[in-house]
């Protein structure tokens, strides 16, 4: 018989060979509890020494973990008893091997159950998982007692009574241990609750950690179309305490009241008390502030300046729990125009991936004082916005708060840029947000940092707004804000080595020069087509959005020129001759002259002869009404027209620079200065080009194309419409922020050269042709004076110019007051390519007679080798047999006409002795061409027909190298004939 004082769970009937194994199984049942006790003690110790920077908040106290230890011990006790009971039964009723398998299986399930409940409730919940585990063990223990004892599954002798009844066993093994632990838990937690200080006392003594749960209470923004959450970073310093009150009394009062369209709420963000001194001195004040305003949020994160990135992340993580459309982040030393911001957000409407602020590209944060900022060793410099003030859409906040590893840079604004970099989200630049000691009247965020020692205050700025005065009235404005105009200021932000792009933002000057290596160059913008019912500016030619040529193969027919000075005092005969040279070489050109000084009938002598010249008056109002601007930045620059004209003597030059940009961008075509003379038409009508010249000023080497000081001159250029180059140049020069009234060429050669130098490879791959100096500017501005002086070599020099180039620029600023001497190169050029139609020629009786002009000899140049059958340069090279340049055939002079258009009967008869002649350049020539052009033909139409002539030499090898062309033209009463000998020559230049 078993002993009467047998232990409650004595393991009997276990075979000797399995005795040690059964003991090991009982120990395994204790392991989860032992692990739980150890983990809880570690966490209890961690509560007292945790790092305030930690991103995982810990809400349980050390006492909570000690209570968790009690439940771990209870769970260990019950698992040990349960294992003993099962070993006793299974080793008796089953073979040892199946019993061991069952016990191992049950132990595995128990271990996984413990891990599941601990992970489910989290590391910061020490009591709940073990209470659940103990409850399950208690139920299992009770079931097994009732099942095995009541149903008498244990072996007893026939006359033996159960040693203990099941009720007594349940009391002793389940209710009493569980009740003791539950009672102790209740007493301990009640004591902790009674000892926990109030919110105010917790703040005064323990900092933010003690009230972190109350800080996370639900935040609700009033229902509206646009809901905005404002977070304002602050700190525990007495100065920050004063600034919070200052913001409540000034900036925040500008926000509109809640309505169906707009609603907002704001929170000042504080972290843990940085020191016991700060906690002791400011705790009670901040506690009272929370009770009074309920607008201070304390987060369990370091409040130190070097930990702002962690603090911002915790604030974004907290914000991600609530519903809003935009989050605005700022600091407690920033005055924000909440009236302006709220209106703009209402106009903006809910947006996706919206990130706006003072943007920086490929650079470190700029210091707000003379102190140097340590460079963050990140390896990359993604774009970011200044921490002064920025706006994030709701979806961006979700991306930023998404859990996962992240890099925390020293500066919070850089951190935001780094975190958003993988999502390829780019900031929207807003220059009205400034972080320096500057003030501009349209700013929406003004920094009042301690390092500035500002004389003015937020109250002064708020008073200006309330009284309707300019924002910066009474504020110091010696310095100009980056991306703003520095006219009249003591310094320029460019002196700090930065550039400003109106779209991208601020960057180092070197970074701006290297943009092509890291950014994609937009070549062409999408442009609106000509409408079905267009609003005409020039009837039948130019509308608000396009021209009849812009989107056709004839886009190069559109020619542009500008005249902004008084014609009575500045217009000279040479300007007429420059226009005449255009129509000699390109009779079908449509010339539009933008002028607010020339009368509408100024070119009547030309329009009567069928040449298409249109004077288009312009003004500030017209340009604004017709939307002749590139965006809001250039629109604002146009609105300040009057101010710019007062501030600088170069405004007419700058206005002309701007007009050619916008005209070519909107419509395309060829721009020409009215002191540019054509000596030959461009060889094709498809190549987009700009000319180059050379500067002899060493200082220009910083922005010129090469070490020879080559620069791009915008006096003559031809482009298709929509070239983004023009938009980007205008946005970098002609804005309120960037315009410099005292810089003569900043909107002309310097702007073009700087842009093309940066993007040259991409532009040339996409059709841009930079012409050599000899093409359009064979004389530079210092050499041109010699071209106006008499020389015995004038004709030879003209032939040389015509061989290598297509134009000649007179540099009106240099030569306008200088006489063109007879026998000079310029006089010879004007004499050869003149129509003799200008009013200056009306006193000459000979000029009224129509005459046929043509070459004395047509030199037919052949390539030096048979394989080189075509010229290598379609734009500059002379095509053999064409009547271009010095060989041009045209009618000059005109009979007097009183009608609106001078129309006469015209006919052409051309014969060739040996070769062929064609009128369309197709090569399908003939020996004789006879054309009756009709009874109503203008000079322009006749010259257009003559400009299409082309001669083809005989195909036979027996050709002697000479030929004879006879051209007979009848035009009204004029009867003219040209006998043109043809001479073959070999030209190595065509190879």
């Amino acid at each position: 018989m078993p002993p009467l004082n047998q232990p409650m769970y004595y393991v009997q009937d276990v075979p000797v060979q399995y005795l040690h194994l059964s003991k090991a199984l009982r120990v395994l049942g204790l392991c989860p509890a032992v692990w739980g006790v150890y983990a809880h003690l570690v966490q209890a110790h961690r509560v007292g020494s945790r790092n305030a920077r930690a991103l995982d908040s810990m809400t349980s106290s050390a006492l909570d973990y000690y209570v968790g230890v009690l439940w771990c011990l209870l769970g260990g006790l019950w698992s040990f008893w349960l294992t003993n009971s099962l070993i006793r039964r299974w080793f008796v009723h089953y073979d040892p091997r199946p019993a061991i398998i069952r016990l191992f299986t049950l132990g595995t399930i128990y271990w996984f159950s413990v891990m599941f409940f601990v992970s489910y409730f989290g590391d910061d919940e020490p009591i709940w998982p073990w209470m659940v585990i103990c409850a399950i063990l208690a139920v299992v223990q009770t079931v097994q007692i009732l099942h095995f004892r009541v149903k008498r599954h244990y072996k007893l002798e026939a006359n033996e009574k159960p040693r203990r009844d099941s009720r007594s066993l349940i009391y002793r093994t389940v209710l009493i241990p569980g009740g003791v632990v539950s009672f102790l838990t209740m007493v301990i937690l009640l004591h902790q609750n009674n000892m926990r200080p109030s919110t105010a006392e917790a703040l005064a003594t323990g900092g933010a950690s003690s009230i972190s749960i109350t800080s996370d209470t639900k935040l609700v923004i009033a229902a509206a179309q646009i809901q905005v959450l404002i977070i304002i970073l602050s700190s525990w310093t007495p100065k920050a305490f004063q600034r919070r009150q200052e913001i409540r009394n000034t900036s925040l009062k500008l926000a509109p009241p809640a309505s169906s369209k707009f609603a907002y709420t704001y929170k000042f963000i504080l972290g843990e008390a940085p020191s016991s001194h700060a906690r002791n001195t400011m705790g009670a004040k901040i506690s009272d502030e929370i009770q009074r305003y309920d607008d201070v949020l304390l987060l369990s994160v370091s409040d130190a300046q070097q930990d702002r990135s962690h603090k911002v992340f915790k604030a974004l993580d907290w914000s991600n729990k609530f519903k809003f459309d935009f989050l605005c982040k700022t600091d407690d030393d920033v005055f924000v125009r909440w009236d302006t911001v709220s209106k703009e957000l209402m106009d903006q409407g809910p947006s996706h991936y919206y990130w706006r602020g003072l943007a920086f590209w490929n650079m470190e944060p700029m210091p707000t004082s003379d102190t140097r900022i340590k460079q963050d060793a990140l390896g990359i410099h993604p774009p970011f916005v200044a921490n002064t003030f920025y706006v994030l859409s709701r979806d961006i906040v979700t991306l930023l708060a998404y859990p996962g590893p992240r890099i925390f840079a020293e500066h919070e604004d850089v951190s935001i840029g780094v975190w958003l970099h993988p999502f390829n989200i780019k900031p929207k630049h807003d220059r009205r947000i400034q972080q320096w000691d500057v003030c501009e009247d349209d700013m929406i965020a003004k920094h009042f940092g301690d390092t500035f020692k500002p004389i003015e205050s937020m109250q002064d700025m708020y008073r200006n707004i309330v009284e309707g005065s300019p924002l910066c009235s009474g504020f110091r404005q010696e310095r100009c804000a980056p991306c703003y105009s520095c006219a009249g200021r003591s310094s320029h932000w460019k002196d700090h080595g930065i550039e400003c792009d109106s779209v991208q933002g601020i960057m180092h000057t070197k970074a701006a020069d290297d943009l092509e290596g890291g950014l994609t160059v937009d070549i062409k913008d999408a442009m609106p087509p000509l409408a079905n019912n267009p609003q005409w500016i020039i009837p039948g030619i130019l509308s608000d959005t396009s021209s009849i040529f812009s989107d056709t193969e004839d886009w190069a027919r559109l020619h542009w020129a500008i005249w902004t000075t008084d014609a009575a005092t500045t217009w000279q005969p040479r300007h007429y001759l420059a226009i005449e040279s255009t129509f000699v070489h390109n009779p079908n050109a449509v010339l539009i002259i933008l002028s607010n000084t020339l009368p509408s009938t100024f070119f009547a002598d030309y329009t009567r002869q069928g040449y298409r010249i249109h004077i288009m008056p312009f003004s500030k109002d017209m340009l604004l009404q017709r939307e002749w601007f590139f965006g809001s930045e250039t629109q604002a620059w146009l609105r300040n027209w009057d101010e710019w004209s007062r501030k600088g003597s170069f405004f007419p030059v700058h206005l002309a620079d701007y007009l050619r940009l916008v005209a070519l961008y909107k419509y395309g075509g060829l721009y020409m200065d009215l002191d540019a003379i054509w000596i030959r038409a461009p060889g094709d009508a498809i190549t987009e080009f700009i000319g180059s010249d050379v500067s002899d000023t060493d200082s220009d080497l910083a922005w010129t194309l090469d070490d020879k000081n080559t620069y791009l001159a915008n006096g003559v250029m031809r482009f298709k419409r929509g070239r983004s180059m023009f938009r980007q140049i205008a946005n970098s020069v002609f804005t309120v922020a960037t315009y410099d009234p005292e810089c003569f060429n900043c909107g002309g050669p310097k702007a073009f050269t700087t842009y093309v130098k940066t993007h040259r490879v991409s532009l040339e791959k996409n059709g841009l042709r930079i012409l050599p100096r000899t093409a359009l500017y064979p004389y530079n501005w210092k050499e041109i004076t010699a071209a106006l002086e008499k020389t015995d070599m004038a004709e030879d020099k003209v032939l040389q110019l015509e061989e290598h180039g297509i134009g000649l620029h007179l540099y009106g600023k240099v030569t306008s007051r200088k006489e063109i001497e007879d026998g000079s190169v310029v006089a010879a050029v004007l004499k050869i390519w003149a129509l003799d139609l200008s009013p200056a020629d009306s006193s000459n009786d000979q000029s009224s007679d129509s005459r046929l002009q043509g070459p004395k000899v047509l030199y037919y140049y052949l390539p030096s080798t048979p394989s080189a059958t075509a010229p290598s340069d379609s734009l500059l090279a002379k095509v053999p047999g064409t009547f271009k340049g010095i060989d041009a055939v045209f009618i000059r002079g005109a009979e007097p006409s009183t009608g609106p258009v001078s129309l006469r009967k015209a006919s052409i008869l051309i014969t060739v002795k040996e070769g062929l002649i064609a009128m369309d350049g197709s090569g399908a020539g003939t020996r004789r061409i006879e054309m009756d052009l009709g009874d109503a033909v203008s000079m322009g139409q006749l010259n257009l027909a003559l400009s299409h002539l082309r001669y083809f030499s005989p195909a036979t090898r027996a050709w002697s190298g000479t030929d004879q062309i006879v051209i007979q033209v009848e035009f009204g009463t004029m009867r003219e004939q040209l006998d043109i000998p043809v001479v073959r020559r070999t030209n190595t230049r065509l190879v």
Side-chain angles (χ1 to χ4, degrees), residues 905-956:
K905 178 179 175 60
S907 64
I908 301 174
L909 175 62
I910 306 174
T911 59
V912 182
K913 185 176 180 181
E914 295 187 39
L916 303 174
I917 195 78
M919 292 295 293
D920 57 5
S922 65
T926 180
R927 292 282 182 89
R928 176 185 175 89
I929 292 179
E930 187 172 0
M931 299 179 60
D932 186 354
L933 300 180
D935 297 330
V937 181
S938 68
M939 177 194 286
Q941 292 171 326
L942 178 57
N943 281 341
L944 178 60
L946 292 172
S947 69
H948 291 158
L949 291 177
R950 183 174 180 183
Y951 168 80
F952 296 93
S953 66
T956 175

Side-chain angles (χ1 to χ4, degrees), residues 358-360 363-370 386 388 429 431 433-440 443 445-449 451-452 479-483 493 496 498 506:
L358 181 66
F360 295 86
M363 62 184 295
E364 303 171 56
M366 293 185 64
T368 56
S369 64
D370 293 334
T388 306
H429 175 59
R431 68 188 178 96
I433 301 165
Q434 293 290 329
Q435 63 179 22
W436 299 275
D437 187 15
V438 294
C439 192
E440 303 288 347
M443 285 169 52
K446 158 70 174 160
H447 194 197
F448 286 86
T451 56
F452 302 154
R479 301 177 182 177
C480 59
C483 301
W493 43 269
H496 299 283
I498 61 174
I506 299 172

Side-chain angles (χ1 to χ4, degrees), residues 33 74 106 210 333 349 412 492 538 540 692 742 749 835 859 866 878 918 981:
L74 180 62
L106 184 64
S210 302
D333 58 356
E412 59 155 292
H492 200 294
I538 298 177
S692 65
E742 303 302 326
L835 291 172
Y859 293 101
K878 298 182 64 174

Side-chain angles (χ1 to χ4, degrees), residues 201-217:
E201 186 179 355
L203 179 62
T205 59
S209 60
S210 302
I211 61 168
S212 58
I213 296 177
T214 61
S215 298
D216 290 341
T217 55

Side-chain angles (χ1 to χ4, degrees), residues 165-238:
D165 57 48
S166 59
R167 182 178 300 176
S168 173
L169 195 59
I170 292 174
Y171 282 149
R172 295 179 60 189
T173 62
V174 178
L175 296 181
I176 291 176
V180 171
V181 173
S182 299
F183 178 77
L184 291 175
T185 299
M186 178 187 68
V187 172
I188 293 172
L189 293 182
L190 285 175
H191 170 75
Q192 179 176 259
N193 187 66
N194 290 333
M195 294 301 293
R196 186 186 298 274
S198 64
T199 301
E201 186 179 355
L203 179 62
T205 59
S209 60
S210 302
I211 61 168
S212 58
I213 296 177
T214 61
S215 298
D216 290 341
T217 55
K218 188 174 183 181
L219 178 145
V220 178
I221 306 175
Q225 294 178 6
I226 296 297
Q227 297 173 296
V228 177
L229 175 60
I230 302 169
I231 59 174
I232 307 171
L233 256 63
S234 191
S235 65
W236 282 67
T237 65

Side-chain angles (χ1 to χ4, degrees), residues 448-575:
F448 286 86
D450 292 337
T451 56
F452 302 154
K453 296 182 174 57
I455 301 173
E456 310 86 0
S457 66
M458 291 188 183
Q459 287 86 352
D460 298 326
M461 185 161 284
Y462 178 72
R463 189 180 305 112
N464 286 341
I465 298 172
V466 173
E467 295 175 355
S469 302
L471 182 69
C472 298
S473 179
F475 280 68
R476 291 169 294 115
Q477 291 183 279
E478 293 86 2
R479 301 177 182 177
C480 59
C483 301
Y484 280 82
S485 172
C486 293
R489 304 296 177 90
S490 60
S491 62
H492 200 294
W493 43 269
K494 289 186 177 182
D495 297 337
H496 299 283
I498 61 174
E499 293 289 340
C500 184
D501 183 273
S502 61
V503 176
Q504 293 176 341
I506 299 172
M507 62 192 75
H508 288 305
T509 302
K510 184 179 184 300
D513 293 339
D514 296 337
L515 278 181
E516 186 169 356
L519 299 177
T520 300
V521 180
D522 294 327
I523 300 300
K524 195 173 187 300
D525 295 336
M527 303 299 290
L530 187 67
N532 293 330
N533 296 308
Q535 297 292 322
W536 294 110
I537 301 176
I538 298 177
I541 297 179
L542 204 71
S543 77
D544 278 347
T545 59
S546 185
S547 78
I548 61 173
F549 306 111
S550 297
D551 297 319
T552 71
E553 294 181 354
D554 291 332
W555 63 270
R557 285 184 60 187
L558 200 60
H559 285 48
W560 297 88
I562 299 171
W563 191 265
T564 59
T565 57
D566 183 10
T569 58
T570 57
W571 189 274
Q572 300 180 50
R574 66 186 71 179
H575 298 121

Side-chain angles (χ1 to χ4, degrees), residues 665-685:
Y665 178 77
K666 288 177 69 71
Y667 304 102
L670 183 146
Y671 172 80
M672 49 175 277
D673 284 343
L674 287 176
D675 56 358
I677 302 170
W678 292 95
I679 57 179
R680 182 154 52 91
D684 62 51

